[in-house]
């Protein structure tokens, strides 16, 4: 499968495009800014974009979604809690909940959805082809998402991180912002090096925020 990490906007955001072989089906994740750049990247990769997935509702992850939909004809998908909070920023065509999965055409590359609230009520992570873990703002390289914004909750985020800690070490972590010392690391490295992910209790985790 193909996976493209795209720097967008002025807030050190990453958008992502992944898909099957050239000419196959593709997915865009978190088109927060630079819609033209994202669409042109999809064209360069020769992918037929069918889905636009939003990891959560914050404007820097959704602002270009409607424009990208217009250019590609793709459906916008997110968690029901994200739909509730979008406030007109984008209109969903379908919902994704914890445990959902789908495959791309031609049939390959299963995508699994994990609901990981805490930074935002509708935050989701995506496990793509058992190789990549797209985390939005739930988990960063060396840190995690904020919990002081509306709808954020530290205990909820701690519990969500415990779900991610159970995933295979070899997954490549792909985050929503370029905030850390590297743009990619394996989840195994993150379990060892990221203090908020390795925190053994909520009390220790909370003291690090």
């Amino acid at each position: 499968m193909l996976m493209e990490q795209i720097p967008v906007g002025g807030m050190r955001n990453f958008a992502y495009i992944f898909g099957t072989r050239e000419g196959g089906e593709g997915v865009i994740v978190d088109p927060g800014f630079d819609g033209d750049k994202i669409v042109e990247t999809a064209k360069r990769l020769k992918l037929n974009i069918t889905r636009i997935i939003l990891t959560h509702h914050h404007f820097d992850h959704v602002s270009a979604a409607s424009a990208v939909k217009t250019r590609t004809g793709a459906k916008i998908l997110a968690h029901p809690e994200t739909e509730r909070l979008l406030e007109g920023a984008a209109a969903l065509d379908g919902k994704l909940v914890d445990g959902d999965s789908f495959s791309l055409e031609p049939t390959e590359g299963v995508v699994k959805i994990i609901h990981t609230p805490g930074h935002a009520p509708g935050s989701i992570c995506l496990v793509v082809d058992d190789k990549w873990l797209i985390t939005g703002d739930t988990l960063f390289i060396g840190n995690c998402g904020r919990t002081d914004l509306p709808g954020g909750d530290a205990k909820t985020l701690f519990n969500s991180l415990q779900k991610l800690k159970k995933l295979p070490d070899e997954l490549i972590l792909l985050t929503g912002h370029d905030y850390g010392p590297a743009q990619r690391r394996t989840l195994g490295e993150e379990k060892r090096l990221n203090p908020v992910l390795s925190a053994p209790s909520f009390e220790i985790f909370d003291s690090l925020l």
Side-chain angles (χ1 to χ4, degrees), residues 2-13:
L2 307 170
M3 176 66 73
E4 191 88 0
Q5 184 180 53
I6 310 169
V8 295
M11 299 175 66
R12 298 164 70 182
N13 283 73

Side-chain angles (χ1 to χ4, degrees), residues 145-193:
R146 296 172 59 177
T147 60
D148 59 341
L149 298 173
D153 182 80
K155 186 62 178 291
T156 303
L157 181 57
F158 176 76
N159 291 335
S160 291
L161 294 177
Q162 304 318 297
K163 294 168 71 172
L164 298 185
K165 285 170 71 171
K166 296 177 181 178
L167 298 175
D169 287 356
E170 61 267 22
L171 289 174
I172 299 170
L173 186 64
L174 300 173
T175 67
H177 291 267
D178 187 9
Y179 283 167
Q183 292 188 343
R184 299 185 181 193
R185 268 196 322 218
T186 67
L187 184 58
E189 290 174 307
E190 211 57 28
K191 291 175 186 179
R192 291 188 289 105
L193 299 172

Side-chain angles (χ1 to χ4, degrees), residues 13-58:
N13 283 73
F14 286 129
Y16 293 94
I17 298 178
F18 63 85
T20 54
R21 66 186 71 91
E22 183 178 301
E25 188 176 3
V27 177
I28 292 171
V29 179
D30 284 358
F33 304 102
D34 298 341
D36 289 343
K37 178 181 180 180
I38 294 169
V39 171
E40 290 307 310
T41 301
K43 288 181 178 178
R44 174 174 58 80
L45 295 173
K46 298 182 179 178
L47 292 173
N48 173 31
I49 301 300
T50 58
R51 295 174 176 88
I52 299 165
I53 295 179
L54 311 178
T55 63
H56 62 293
H57 72 281
H58 291 153

